Amino acid sequence: MLSLNEVWFVLIAVLFVGFFFLEGFDFGIGMSTQLLARNDMERRMLINSIGPFWDGNEVWLITAGGAMFAAFPNWYATMFSGFYLPFVALLLALIARGVAFEFRGKVGHSTWSKTWDMCIFFGSLLPPLLFGVAFATMLKGLPIGADMEMHAGFGDIINPYSLVAGVTTVMLCIVHGLMFAALRTTGDIRVRASVMAGKLLIPLAGLLVLLAILTSVYTDVFTVRGPILIAIAVVGVIVFILAGYFMKQKREGWAFGMTGGLIILSIASVFIGLFPRVMVSSLGAMYDLTLYNTASGHYSLKVMTIVACTLLPFVLGYQIWTYFVFHKRLHEKTHLEY
Amino acid sequence: MDVLMLSRIQYALTTVFHFFFVPVSIGLVLLVAIMETMYVITKKDQYKVMTKFWGKLFLINFAVGVVTGIFQEFQFGMNWSNYSRFVGDVFGAPLAVEALFAFFLESTFIGLWIFGWERLSAKVHLLCIWLVAFGTTLSAFWILTANSFMQHPVGFTINNGRAEMNDFFALITNGQVLVEFPHTVFGAFVTSAFLMAGISAYKMLRREDIEVFRKSFQIAIIVGIVSSLGVAFSGHSQAQYLVETQPMKMAAAEGVWNTTAEKAPWMLVGGIDTKMQQNTFEINFPLKGLLSYLSYGKFTGSVTGMKELQAQYEQKYGEGNYIPPVKTTFWSFRIMVASGMLMIALSAYGVYLMFRRKVEQAPKWYWYAMMYGIALPFIGNTSGWIMTEVGRQPWTVFGLMTTADSVSPSVSAGSVLFSTITFTLVYTVLGAITVILFVREIKKGPGDEHSHDDHSNDPFEMEELKHAIS
């Protein structure tokens, strides 16, 4: 039986996995507006393909943040204050991106829409990059002392390992987003999205292998959680091959499911590698933040468990319903809101 | 400047800015929902035009409200990590519940509402906007539950040097939230009502789309009078609660240095001298015992002064200065009350015009007053929050933790300075763009939306049909 601390660790992991699965493709779409789209119409089609969803997807992150605050206040406090400047960048990216969708089409002037296009592009590129970097350093270890405060220097956060992790996360989102574009559009852009996703699979494979090697060098996760992570890696290879196969077969729904699977496996392995720690201290294992020494009291966790179990089915229900309502493909004659 | 001062400035700036947008969102969505309800009931096209026009303004505003809200959640961890460690157990819970309960609801159904005009049946589409309205109000409740804990901590014990929740029910039935929630939500309704009435006034002055804007004005002014009175009454009960739980804040808001006589007079304006701890002059309201009434609901009862409270607090909490910035608290309170009174007067006159069926012949001065009156609720909301938060100083959580102890020890002043400057710049640009876009949409008016719809729908339906067959 899981203790409540473990339940909340799993729940937060699920929230982050859900966030990257969902917002992963809309980050990918955001980047595709520059990488794939050839004209304004195509850009609008891409943006409209995530129009009804992106806001709800982002709430997965907000909920993850809120859950960390409530269930593991010391984790929340150490992480958010320790990664101060990266989080400032993350917030600026999310702010620019969020208003860009709404503002972009409001003034019929090309400089105006181009400016917001840049906000969408960088606003979609930075968050996965920064989260990739942050998660990698959390596994590798950060200078966290007895007071649970983290005094990280530049090199603690930005190093070859964390950069590879960041770039890999970005690449995962791009491929996942391209598959979403292929799934939600028609005509020329649908074909091109699929082809581009297929071409990017090889560099993505390279990055994933490199990341796995670097992870075994820089972190202890393979010694701590070896068997299960190796099992995940094997499943990952199968999912990866299937992704390529379905792309070739033009089975876009399945291919999208597989790229999503890669994201789920990657983010889940971060949390599996951490467990039962939440942040690794580079100053010594006795300073590691764990799901025990950072957690709220039993009563608080119990109350929140009841609330979460009551509400989550509804939340999942209406979110799934949204995707059902907007399941039809977009084409150039569709009335576009954005 | 040190980390503490910078973090306080950043908190104040970002929170005040965020709260320009929140009340508009909470209130405007209600007004839009009312209009769409009238559309669904009467099937009159005019109400759809109104729904779409005000809906557009709502969405521009909503976008800025949402993005600035993310920082509100994150900055507790970023700038106030010691605070987060100390109260996360209690304070974090309402924030998490808000995300789970309210945020998901708003953001999912707003997507369905924006994109669902042709996809959903009229009734389901209407349900979506009401769920968004429900979500935004619910969101306010949970945030105010968290804030109320800072004003009047309940439902916790101190364990291992931090606050731990031991009664969730006490937290959500905190007397403070029961007075703060109606006051804030009525304030939000009045904000959107004045925004809508003011924009309608502008259009009435220019004689554009008179039908649409007369109707909009009427809906706005009814909501305006009900909620501005609601603000006043709930404000009164909040003041009485304040006297019980945070007497120092009340004393500062009223500029009471020395404990008053049994029939406490209410000072209209005065000169606050914080160095000498006295008022250089006082102009009191002629009605004797008015402050007693505001504090206790009867015309007798003395109000404890700041000097006496300071002595009491020193005994209880040890050496220190427990008097908040008095001038700020005093004047922000007066500005809030004055803007509230003006709003009641303006909406009362509007209601009078409406019942005499004279809205279209309203005097020009009234339309101008309503136009510039858009500023009133924003001034009222801002000064209200300044009074609430500044008046609580030096405490973050009243009686438990000071602001100085709350700040992040690991963050450098340079980082906070950098982020403060960046956020100020970005927020300024965002604010300017919002105003520009509002003005553009208002000038454009509701007209072109209508024709735009006719063009895109029908051929689209045919295409959709062919597509489905093939």
Side-chain angles (χ1 to χ4, degrees), chain B residues 366-434:
Chain B
Y366 181 68
W367 292 134
Y368 277 110
M370 287 310 285
M371 233 172 78
Y372 294 110
I374 293 177
L376 284 173
F378 292 93
I379 294 169
N381 292 333
T382 305
S383 47
W385 273 114
I386 290 174
M387 181 215 162
T388 308
E389 302 297 285
V390 171
R392 192 189 55 231
Q393 300 305 322
W395 302 106
T396 325
V397 186
F398 184 81
L400 285 182
M401 186 185 219
T402 63
T403 312
D405 288 336
S406 305
V407 80
S408 298
S410 67
V411 177
S412 72
S415 296
V416 188
L417 181 66
F418 168 76
S419 67
T420 307
I421 293 172
T422 322
F423 279 115
T424 307
L425 283 176
V426 170
Y427 279 19
T428 310
V429 172
L430 273 187
I433 291 173
T434 312

Side-chain angles (χ1 to χ4, degrees), chain A residues 48 58-59 62-63 66 74 76 78 80-81 84 91 106 148-149 295 297 299-300 318-319 322 326 328 335, chain B residues 70-71 73 77-79 85 89 92 104-105 107-108 115 119 162 165 168 409-410 419 437 441 456 464:
Chain A
N48 277 274
E58 200 168 271
V59 179
I62 295 170
T63 309
N74 283 315
Y76 168 81
T78 305
F80 283 59
S81 63
Y84 193 86
L91 287 165
K106 286 281 182 292
M148 291 192 173
E149 290 296 334
Y299 176 84
S300 207
Y318 60 66
Q319 286 222 333
T322 314
F326 301 104
K328 280 188 183 142
H335 171 72
Chain B
I70 308 175
F71 181 58
E73 189 199 21
M78 290 167 70
N79 292 330
R85 290 182 206 282
D89 196 304
F104 268 126
L105 204 64
S107 54
T108 309
F115 288 84
R119 288 257 185 275
R162 63 195 200 107
M165 197 202 300
F168 185 63
S410 67
S419 67
L437 288 179
E441 293 298 334
S456 55
E464 194 59 46

Side-chain angles (χ1 to χ4, degrees), chain B residues 176-301:
Chain B
Q176 175 69 28
V177 76
L178 298 184
V179 289
E180 196 173 313
F181 176 66
H183 191 58
T184 316
V185 168
F186 276 130
F189 291 160
V190 90
T191 306
S192 63
F194 264 69
L195 185 71
M196 186 178 283
I199 293 168
S200 303
Y202 168 80
K203 287 290 192 181
M204 295 298 276
L205 269 173
R206 296 171 66 108
R207 304 266 145 209
E208 287 172 9
D209 297 296
I210 288 206
E211 265 308 288
V212 168
F213 287 103
R214 188 175 52 78
K215 276 231 166 71
S216 301
F217 175 80
Q218 288 176 340
I219 295 173
I221 211 70
I222 292 172
V223 173
I225 188 77
V226 173
S227 44
S228 59
L229 288 172
V231 169
F233 284 111
S234 57
H236 177 54
S237 53
Q238 196 174 359
Q240 287 177 287
Y241 196 77
L242 202 59
V243 177
E244 278 174 45
T245 55
Q246 297 182 74
M248 182 65 98
K249 189 195 283 182
M250 187 65 175
E254 298 294 7
V256 177
W257 293 101
N258 301 304
T259 303
T260 66
E262 264 305 292
K263 276 184 166 298
W266 190 68
M267 199 196 326
L268 206 56
V269 289
I272 308 280
D273 186 339
T274 43
K275 280 219 180 74
M276 299 300 293
Q277 301 209 327
Q278 63 182 22
N279 299 331
T280 48
F281 71 93
E282 289 182 7
I283 299 174
N284 289 329
F285 199 76
L287 183 63
K288 273 243 161 106
L290 184 57
L291 179 57
S292 305
Y293 181 76
L294 292 173
S295 310
Y296 307 110
K298 54 186 185 353
F299 285 93
T300 52

Side-chain angles (χ1 to χ4, degrees), chain A residues 259-292:
Chain A
T259 54
L262 286 178
I263 289 191
I264 294 173
L265 293 172
S266 315
I267 305 297
S269 22
V270 173
F271 286 89
I272 290 166
L274 278 172
F275 183 88
R277 302 164 297 183
V278 292
M279 287 179 96
V280 176
S281 171
S282 57
L283 304 180
M286 67 278 208
Y287 300 136
D288 283 350
L289 300 188
T290 69
L291 55 95
Y292 304 104

